[in-house]
Amino acid sequence: MDYKIAVIKGDGIGPSIVDQAMLALEKVGEIYGHKFEFQEVLAGGASIDAYGKPLTQETIDVCKASDSVLLGAVGGPKWDSQPSDNRPERALLGLRKELGLFANLRPAMMFDELKDACPLKPEIVEGGFDIMIVRELIGGIYFGERGKKETENGPAAYDVEQYSEGEVKRIAKVAFDLAMQRNKKVTSIDKANVLDSSRLWRATVEEVAKEYPEVELNHFYVDNAAMQIVRNPKQFDVILTSNLFGDILSDEASQVTGSIGMLPSASLGDGGFGMYEPIHGSAPDIAGMDIANPMATILSAAMMIRSSFGLTSEADAIENAVKKVLADGVRTGDIAKPGEKTVGTVECGRLIVEAIQ
Ligand code: NAD
């Protein structure tokens, strides 16, 4: 099969880590007889440099005409002086909106080989954990009505959290479908003891749950959820939550795994289309030094071919190659213990590509 992939390498370490993911895809394509056709486009700081704005219509069109999008990361201090509506990160909001990417999937799993990097006590994470966070991505407070007004206490500003039944149903179905492929448990996170929007969220999730009798559903308030993630992460399978709560909880869960250089993510729209990227940013502090960990981006490529293209064995081949090099003791600086030998980005990618079979 032939697959068209739009590639946005981005800024900072983006180009170096995306190059390694493309090599991994080419290798898996060679072995399994697929052709991945890459079309590179700009977004973020690189696009500001070239066209004066972080996202162009051409980039949007190429992404729409592709089967999926692979993204490195955007942003960096070079563009700090840009006005807020022309900053590199604006490209991400624009892509999500334009491509209709309403579901953000962020797995937070602990690799057994890296359990020493986990900040939790060994007895809490014994046996590892594997959480899938499903975050609504194009609704809620980040996209709600906002404004400023005068009050008796001086100028005030407000942002509105609003969710419709349709928006909640759509994201809840993604979470329940994923749970059916996993351990059949959904934990929905809200603040229904205080917020009306959360009460509608909870009631709608319960309606959707009726269509999935095999899936166990429970609800946590967001404050309790933040605590439970560090107290007992093993209790979670799929976490379903809103844009704002998901933003915060997914960062917390990824820190608990020990390294942000290891974790992939997907933003999905209708019909299997998705944009895949590592959870970390463009790491300008280490850009150009050949020390960035390419594993999160390589694992994002694996997630892409599994979720958007249905290539299960091929995705397994990439994930197993990453596990193999970890078991062999291959470490980039971010996941090495003090004194441990490290490899650079290119060498790490080469070893993973060599291990794909
Ligand atoms: P960051 O994730 O880029 O970096 C945080 C720390 O983690 C840094 O010390 C960095 O060196 C390290 N790190 C990150 N990825 C690594 C990797 N693959 N290997 C080894 N070390 C790694 O977060 P930040 O410093 O807050 O943000 C830097 C820039 O990235 C900002 O402009 C921010 O807006 C942008 N950003 C972009 C995205 C995205 O494109 N999706 C996401 C987050 C941040």
Side-chain angles (χ1 to χ4, degrees):
M1 282 284 285
D2 282 9
Y3 299 95
K4 270 198 212 159
I5 301 172
V7 175
I8 303 173
K9 292 186 176 177
D11 309 315
I13 61 171
S16 64
I17 51 178
V18 172
D19 283 346
Q20 300 311 314
M22 289 162 73
L23 290 170
L25 284 172
E26 274 169 5
K27 174 77 180 282
V28 95
E30 264 167 42
I31 298 175
Y32 288 85
H34 307 296
K35 188 157 179 286
F36 299 110
E37 198 184 303
F38 301 113
Q39 186 164 0
E40 257 186 67
V41 280
L42 297 181
S47 175
I48 295 175
D49 289 350
Y51 308 115
K53 51 183 178 175
L55 183 62
T56 61
Q57 192 57 45
E58 192 210 336
T59 292
I60 295 167
D61 291 343
V62 168
C63 291
K64 281 187 176 165
S66 303
D67 297 313
S68 69
V69 183
L70 181 65
L71 171 77
V74 298
K78 182 177 175 194
W79 301 281
D80 274 354
S81 58
Q82 290 287 328
S84 70
D85 59 354
N86 209 51
R87 290 176 68 90
E89 296 78 5
R90 279 272 147 189
L92 300 175
L93 294 182
L95 283 166
R96 287 171 191 165
K97 203 79 195 169
E98 289 288 339
L99 302 176
L101 305 175
F102 64 87
N104 185 227
L105 272 47
R106 276 182 51 168
M109 64 266 193
M110 203 187 72
F111 289 83
D112 212 34
E113 294 80 5
L114 300 178
K115 56 177 184 259
D116 291 341
C118 173
L120 302 183
K121 288 191 193 130
E123 59 268 29
I124 293 179
V125 291
E126 184 62 45
F129 60 86
D130 178 0
I131 308 173
M132 176 66 84
I133 299 188
V134 177
R135 165 189 169 196
E136 200 289 326
L137 203 56
I138 55 175
I141 197 163
Y142 293 172
F143 292 91
E145 188 194 325
R146 66 190 55 198
K148 295 195 166 92
K149 60 181 178 186
E150 279 307 319
T151 70
E152 59 190 23
N153 293 318
Y158 60 92
D159 303 89
V160 174
E161 169 87 340
Q162 174 177 311
Y163 271 110
S164 65
E165 260 180 31
E167 286 172 309
V168 181
K169 264 190 194 148
R170 183 169 70 166
I171 191 72
K173 279 183 191 249
V174 173
F176 280 93
D177 284 339
L178 275 166
M180 286 298 288
Q181 298 161 25
R182 295 170 48 102
N183 292 325
K184 299 195 171 67
K185 183 172 177 193
V186 170
T187 303
S188 176
I189 312 278
D190 59 38
K191 190 70 185 167
N193 49 344
V194 180
L195 302 175
D196 269 344
S197 54
S198 277
R199 283 191 274 276
L200 180 130
W201 177 282
R202 188 176 283 216
T204 310
V205 171
E206 281 177 354
E207 273 308 302
V208 173
K210 290 181 186 155
E211 295 166 34
Y212 298 85
E214 286 176 59
V215 178
E216 181 195 339
L217 168 67
N218 64 348
H219 304 275
F220 279 164
Y221 299 136
V222 62
D223 40 351
N224 183 28
M227 187 173 72
Q228 294 297 334
I229 286 173
V230 290
R231 265 183 71 174
N232 181 15
K234 285 189 278 189
Q235 69 183 293
F236 295 109
D237 178 24
V238 175
I239 287 180
L240 162 65
T241 192
S242 64
N243 204 345
L244 172 66
F245 297 157
D247 193 2
I248 299 164
L249 294 179
S250 59
D251 263 15
E252 183 195 5
S254 58
Q255 281 306 316
V256 167
T257 68
S259 172
I260 60 168
M262 296 296 306
L263 297 175
S265 77
S267 302
L268 303 180
D270 286 320
F273 182 87
M275 183 163 87
Y276 297 81
E277 58 183 307
I279 65 154
H280 59 71
S282 57
D285 54 331
I286 59 167
M289 295 163 73
D290 188 39
I291 57 172
N293 185 347
M295 293 188 201
T297 316
I298 292 172
L299 291 169
S300 301
M303 209 173 164
M304 175 174 77
I305 62 176
R306 182 192 303 283
S307 301
S308 285
F309 306 161
L311 303 178
T312 310
S313 310
E314 293 83 340
D316 285 347
I318 296 179
E319 288 166 3
N320 289 337
V322 171
K323 284 187 194 138
K324 176 172 186 305
V325 301
L326 284 175
D328 290 347
V330 174
R331 300 284 185 271
T332 44
D334 57 315
I335 53 172
K337 283 189 249 170
E340 216 170 17
K341 186 170 172 288
T342 60
V343 296
T345 310
V346 173
E347 178 61 3
C348 182
R350 189 189 69 74
L351 291 166
I352 293 169
V353 169
E354 198 176 83
I356 294 174
Q357 43 179 292

